[in-house]
Amino acid sequence: MSIALRLENIRKTIGELALEMNLSVERGELLSLIGPSGCGKSTTLNIISGLLEPDDGRVFIGDGDVTDLPPEKRECAVVFQDYALFPTMDVYHNVAYPLSVRRRNRSYTRQRVGELLELVNLGNFAKRQIGSLSGGEKQRVALARALAASPAVLLLDEPLSALDAQLRLRLRSEIHSIQQTLGQTMVYVTHDREEALAISDRICVMRNGRIEQIGTPQQVYREPANRFVASFMGPGCTIPCELALSCLSTSAFDRTRLPEIPGSGQNTVFFRPEDVSPALPGPLYSRLLFPGCTIIKSEYRGDCWDLTCSYKTALLKARVRRAPTSQTLDLEVRLDNTIVFAGDRRIEPKA
Amino acid sequence: MSPTKGRTGKGLLLLTPLPAGVLLIVLFFVPLLYTTGGAFIVDGRFSLKRIALILSDPYSLSVIGFTFRQALVSTLFSVAAGLPGAWLIGNCDFPGRRILKSVCMIPFVLPPILLVLGFVIFYGNNGYLNRALMALFGLSQPPLRILYSYWAIIAAHTFYNFPVVMSLTGSAWEQMDRSCEMASRTLGAGRFRTFVSVTLPRLLPAVLSSALLVFLFCFTSFAVVLVLGGGPRFTTIEVEIYNQARRLMNTDQAAALALVSLFVCIVVVITDIMLQKPVEGLRPAGDRRSAGKGKAWALVYALLLGFFVLAPLVSVVVRSFVGSATRAGEKHFSIEQYRGLFSGSVGQALAGSLIIAASVCIVALFCSLSLCVYLRRRKSGFLETVAMFPMAVSSIIVGLGYYTVSRLLGNISAHVLIVLAHTVLVIPFAIRTILPVYRALPQSLINSSRTLGCTPAGTFFRVELPLLRPILLTAGAFAFAISFGEMNATMMLSTGTVQTLPVLIYRLTDSYNYQGACALGSVLMLVCFGVFALGQASRRESTARASEEKK
């Protein structure tokens, strides 16, 4: 695989934000940038597109150094959150815009715009005015317009955040399938972790202008590099290692899997609510057992219940399939579903 | 977080403030400084003697005092007359509300000379009102003798300016969020208490701001005072500047007076700027109370408005068709005055006015737009203030500056001088119209065009300019209307050979040729209303598009 985009030692300071980045995106890959607001994900996007100049570092697209090129010379179109469709042109002329800027001949333009509108399921919308479109239609036009530029990298800046929940689901899968069909390299900025998990080849989790972790969706969810990534990618509970040790179901063998640095007391064990379940009698596989938890809060979610329980000094969150029958219950979590953090960093379990 | 500034063609961008900048420096600041500088030079040396003389000379002092007094009284009357209308516009829904709002725009559209003419025709000793009253009550003498007096000036100023208060305060009232009032009422405060402690404090800045604007208008009023006042008893600073410069050829004395006027105007403008803080809780109207009581008041107010503002204008049109063979001769319907429109000196004045207004429109739009291109990308308080400065300076003083400088340079065509003076006067209005709209264009549209492969210049012509087209039309209409109706600077500059329509109207009025003046006045009115309607239509188009976008 060849590299489509590379950021090398990028630095940029804007107000509170101090961005520092090294990043490379492979051809045909969909990379998501995710993080809390103000973490620098949109800034990164603007540096890639050339709308912002980095203080330091280089931007490469393909093999070329584009750091000193203006946006119009970079071949990376952007889909903006507010669509940024030109209200003075109809749908056809919006999509044809990149082609007309590049002085493509008319028959080619007509054919290409037609194809792109078909691709985004807006086949007969060519003559429509922008004002008459719904939010979802506008975003589709914006996508078609960006694709018309045949960008080396397509940048999407929170493209779905102005839409309602159902439409968001549908459009994200459409974007995903277009990306797959065309093999289009994309950098996708979002603050919605579900969106990122659903469509990304890789996710880049950012905080305070720095990359916390880059990895596949499974990696950042199941093997977060640190406590921030773990909690940003989804809910979970954290309990002190000492407490976890006292809950071990079986042998001294398991003890070695929960390394505790003596005296520090800083190590913690982390696990996700969907891995917590009512304790079952049965074979004694390696697990943490929490007998007699008291339910503090129970929320019904349709396909499951989200329980918040107290166990000794800790609060546990569990996602269970069946309604709890009493105020107390025994919970368990399999040891291989737990993550151990020494301070902030994750420690690899010993085999 | 999106960047507010993309990288732009920097070389080209740095050139964009030049047209407006050079124009304003060479054509506004230099003449202004040169002229006012004259006030400090006595016998070739620097001296404050002339200023001291002005401030100790009883006649000058009485002129200054009268200027202040009439402006203050006119402002008070305008505010008093305008506030009920503001309440109506802001709070009530009634049929004809939009018409009422349009009538409010009259002072912004029609030049003062027209209103003065209408005032004379309607309220004059031999005017329609007096004749109606005489016929009605069988009087042998006209009962109302208000013309050529102190109160005539006040009345004309009030009629001309109260719609300003009405529309400015009214639209602020209209946009005020009603939820504060509702909260106050549910918290137990009565109607009156709510008005005093919740509504009034939020409304006051708008009232004060419109009052200051009216004060500025009245303080620098020229045509009204020239026609209705005239004699030494009722002379304002502006009229005195004109007298000194053009009738007595004493430009240094005029400059000293200009300095006084300039000082007052700048103080007023600065006060206004300081009063203008961002008002919170504004939102588009929608929940206006449509009270039945509002309807009754609206009717009363509309009648008053019709009587005081529209009747004089209508009588101008009517009078233009009334001809008589001799002064005292039989009155009959006639269009003879309109026949003369396209020939002789009248035709020349009309053509001259049109050419001047069109040139001003083009030059001012070009300069303002290019300055706005710069101001949208780089915030520059300095440049903005410089561009707005001519607003604080009366057109008489701008004219005076040109007059003084042109006497130095010799042979410059009066046409050119007038076009340049008008351009300087119009640029601030054009910028104030264009810049907020330009600034409100979403940056993402521009960014998007750039990332799709278009250069900054290409983006300007393909994306920004089409979006600005409606507001440019509006600004152009304003520029045209202001220039077409401008009389003050023109009178300072015009020579025997150059006449414009408003100046000719004044001269005809001055020589009691009312039918001729009225015919020209009707043409002037027609052009101004036409241009204004064009501007409003394109503004509606742009707001309609904006609201469509928001959906």
Side-chain angles (χ1 to χ4, degrees), chain A residues 175-283:
Chain A
I175 291 177
H176 193 204
S177 74
I178 288 173
Q179 190 261 337
Q180 300 275 307
T181 334
L182 302 179
Q184 173 70 56
T185 313
M186 290 189 184
V187 176
Y188 190 106
V189 165
T190 179
H191 60 256
D192 182 337
R193 59 174 182 248
E194 269 184 51
E195 210 168 281
L197 289 170
I199 65 173
S200 310
D201 293 312
R202 284 192 303 155
I203 294 176
C204 169
V205 185
M206 297 180 63
R207 176 169 60 158
N208 297 335
R210 284 160 201 269
I211 296 175
E212 297 285 331
Q213 186 177 7
I214 303 183
T216 63
Q218 291 85 345
Q219 280 169 343
V220 293
Y221 190 76
R222 304 300 308 184
E223 299 159 28
N226 53 41
R227 285 170 63 168
F228 169 75
V229 176
S231 60
F232 189 80
M233 292 313 296
C237 20
T238 307
I239 60 172
C241 225
E242 282 167 2
L243 183 65
L245 281 170
S246 71
C247 297
L248 270 179
S249 60
T250 50
S251 56
F253 166 72
D254 286 329
R255 199 163 282 274
T256 60
R257 300 191 50 167
L258 287 182
E260 191 200 17
I261 300 160
S264 80
Q266 288 296 301
N267 290 7
T268 49
V269 174
F270 177 91
F271 42 86
R272 302 227 177 254
E274 66 268 24
D275 294 326
V276 180
S277 54
L280 298 170

Side-chain angles (χ1 to χ4, degrees), chain A residues 42-43 46 50-53 67 69-72 74 76-78 80 82 84-89 97-98 100-102 131 138 145, chain B residues 1-3 5-7 10 442 444-456 458-459 462-463 466-467 545 548-551:
Chain A
S42 291
T43 306
N46 289 326
L51 293 169
L52 270 181
E53 241 173 312
T67 318
L69 292 183
E72 64 267 22
R74 290 197 181 194
C76 43
V78 185
F80 291 89
D82 62 355
L85 297 177
F86 307 129
T88 46
M89 310 174 194
Y97 186 80
S100 119
V101 166
R102 290 172 176 77
K138 281 183 187 164
R145 184 180 66 176
Chain B
M1 252 192 38
S2 72
K5 291 167 186 83
R7 278 196 281 171
K10 278 169 192 155
S444 66
L445 286 180
I446 293 157
N447 286 346
S448 156
S449 166
R450 299 288 308 282
T451 59
L452 291 170
C454 198
T455 58
T459 302
R462 281 161 167 267
V463 176
L467 283 165
R545 184 186 291 148
E548 208 175 50
E549 270 302 287
K550 267 181 203 136
K551 273 184 224 159

Side-chain angles (χ1 to χ4, degrees), chain B residues 315-500:
Chain B
S315 41
V316 167
V317 179
V318 172
R319 184 70 176 79
S320 73
F321 291 106
V322 178
S324 55
T326 58
R327 258 260 181 104
E330 191 76 0
K331 302 275 188 291
H332 59 88
F333 177 81
S334 128
I335 55 164
E336 84 188 90
Q337 291 299 333
Y338 287 97
R339 287 214 192 95
L341 271 181
F342 303 103
S343 58
S345 64
V346 180
Q348 270 175 13
L350 181 60
S353 283
L354 285 172
I355 292 170
I356 288 172
S359 321
V360 168
C361 181
I362 292 165
V363 179
L365 269 192
F366 173 72
C367 293
S368 311
L369 180 61
S370 89
L371 184 60
C372 286
V373 167
Y374 185 84
L375 287 174
R376 144 114 205 177
R377 285 160 179 84
R378 306 261 193 289
K379 208 163 176 58
S380 163
F382 172 71
L383 268 178
E384 240 175 286
T385 315
V386 165
M388 292 301 164
F389 199 75
M391 271 192 151
V393 180
S394 78
S395 45
I396 282 290
I397 295 177
V398 172
L400 175 67
Y402 273 59
Y403 179 66
T404 332
V405 171
S406 73
R407 281 201 315 175
L408 267 184
L409 299 177
N411 252 335
I412 305 178
S413 137
H415 270 118
V416 175
L417 282 177
I418 292 171
V419 167
L420 293 177
H422 286 186
T423 306
V424 165
L425 290 169
V426 160
I427 282 180
F429 286 96
I431 289 178
R432 262 177 82 131
T433 314
I434 299 169
L435 194 57
V437 176
Y438 201 173
R439 285 218 167 112
L441 286 193
Q443 179 67 29
S444 66
L445 286 180
I446 293 157
N447 286 346
S448 156
S449 166
R450 299 288 308 282
T451 59
L452 291 170
C454 198
T455 58
T459 302
F460 175 75
F461 288 108
R462 281 161 167 267
V463 176
E464 295 168 50
L465 208 53
L467 283 165
L468 291 176
R469 199 184 57 97
I471 197 66
L472 287 177
L473 266 175
T474 308
F478 256 120
F480 191 94
I482 292 176
S483 166
F484 198 69
E486 213 286 332
M487 185 182 95
N488 310 0
T490 316
M491 276 193 53
M492 290 296 287
L493 292 171
S494 82
T495 57
T497 54
V498 180
Q499 298 269 26
T500 63

